Amino acid sequence: MLADPAITPVTRCYWLWTNSNYVLRTGAPRDAIALIDEAVELATDHGLAVAAVLRRYRIGHDLTVPNLTRAGAELAALEGARRVEPYYEMRAWLALQRGELAVALREAQTALEFAEERGRTYYRILDRFLLAVIHAEAGALDDARAEIAHYRRDTAGVQGPLADYHALLVDAYIAWCSGDRDRCVEPLRGALAIGERERYRSHWIWHPAMMVRLYGEALERGIAIPYVQDVIRTHALAPA
């Protein structure tokens, strides 16, 4: 279909973007980067407005690899640009990966306020998950529980298992961070069962430090070991 000369640049651009997201979640992240780079180039060459959004999603690809140097440079280049989602989300995600948790929290709260003001339900929901991860990482576990409860309410009835996967991962991480490793097991088992079935190799707000801890727990407990090992290899994760 893509070889058809009647396919417009807009259609081709959106297909590349969608495919890059799919590959990022289920395949090799660097393959996904090649696809989204092609989409950005095509959109820029044809003056498509979606190029602004694609550039921000490209940063998300860098943060998943992760290539923090490039992600930081790209965000710096966008400082004078129009605030298009997901801009503040990417700033928060970068700060989280750098361990700058106060900055991450501030940027994530700004992202949520921006999404609410603009009526952007999709990003408002994702921002709740982002905030839950940041709070858990910072040890603010009650706040993390409150945000993931809000996320669950907002995603109730949504088709597909991704929302449950996200929520169970955070439940497991909250338990791990609280020192209750036994309470971590059930939600971790549930999350990884979904991940294995759906072939997830990454997710929104992929945070290697969090995943190393959860995957380490899974390996110790004998949970989804072949799947966990596969994702560890995909991202070249190292023990803490």
Side-chain angles (χ1 to χ4, degrees), residues 24 28-35 65-66:
L24 186 67
R30 294 187 186 280
D31 293 340
I33 285 174
L35 287 164
V65 172

Side-chain angles (χ1 to χ4, degrees), residues 12-13 15 54 57 91 95 116 118 128 136 157 163-164 197 205 235:
R12 192 180 303 276
C13 189
W15 183 87
L54 290 173
Y57 272 86
R91 289 175 62 93
E116 288 178 337
R118 285 163 51 83
R128 294 290 182 186
D164 283 342
R197 186 179 70 243
I205 310 302
H235 292 274

Side-chain angles (χ1 to χ4, degrees), residues 32-43:
I33 285 174
L35 287 164
I36 200 164
D37 280 347
E38 188 177 348
V40 171
E41 182 179 359
L42 184 65

Side-chain angles (χ1 to χ4, degrees), residues 10-127:
V10 172
T11 298
R12 192 180 303 276
C13 189
Y14 272 85
W15 183 87
L16 287 165
W17 181 16
T18 302
N19 195 27
S20 76
N21 286 327
Y22 172 74
V23 172
L24 186 67
R25 300 301 173 224
T26 65
R30 294 187 186 280
D31 293 340
I33 285 174
L35 287 164
I36 200 164
D37 280 347
E38 188 177 348
V40 171
E41 182 179 359
L42 184 65
T44 302
D45 288 349
H46 288 82
L48 304 180
V50 74
V53 179
L54 290 173
R55 287 189 66 188
R56 287 148 182 80
Y57 272 86
R58 175 61 170 81
I59 295 167
H61 284 47
D62 279 328
L63 290 169
T64 302
V65 172
N67 184 339
L68 303 190
T69 300
R70 175 171 171 132
E74 286 295 310
L75 277 167
L78 291 172
E79 284 183 3
R82 188 164 155 263
R83 298 294 187 252
V84 178
E85 295 98 337
Y87 173 73
Y88 292 108
E89 288 84 355
M90 296 303 162
R91 289 175 62 93
W93 189 354
L94 176 62
L96 171 66
Q97 297 248 32
R98 287 174 168 171
E100 300 167 354
L101 299 181
V103 176
L105 180 59
R106 183 180 69 244
E107 297 290 355
Q109 289 171 334
T110 301
L112 178 60
E113 292 167 5
F114 193 60
E116 288 178 337
E117 287 171 7
R118 285 163 51 83
R120 305 282 278 173
T121 301
Y122 176 72
Y123 289 104
R124 177 173 53 79
I125 291 171
L126 292 179
D127 292 342

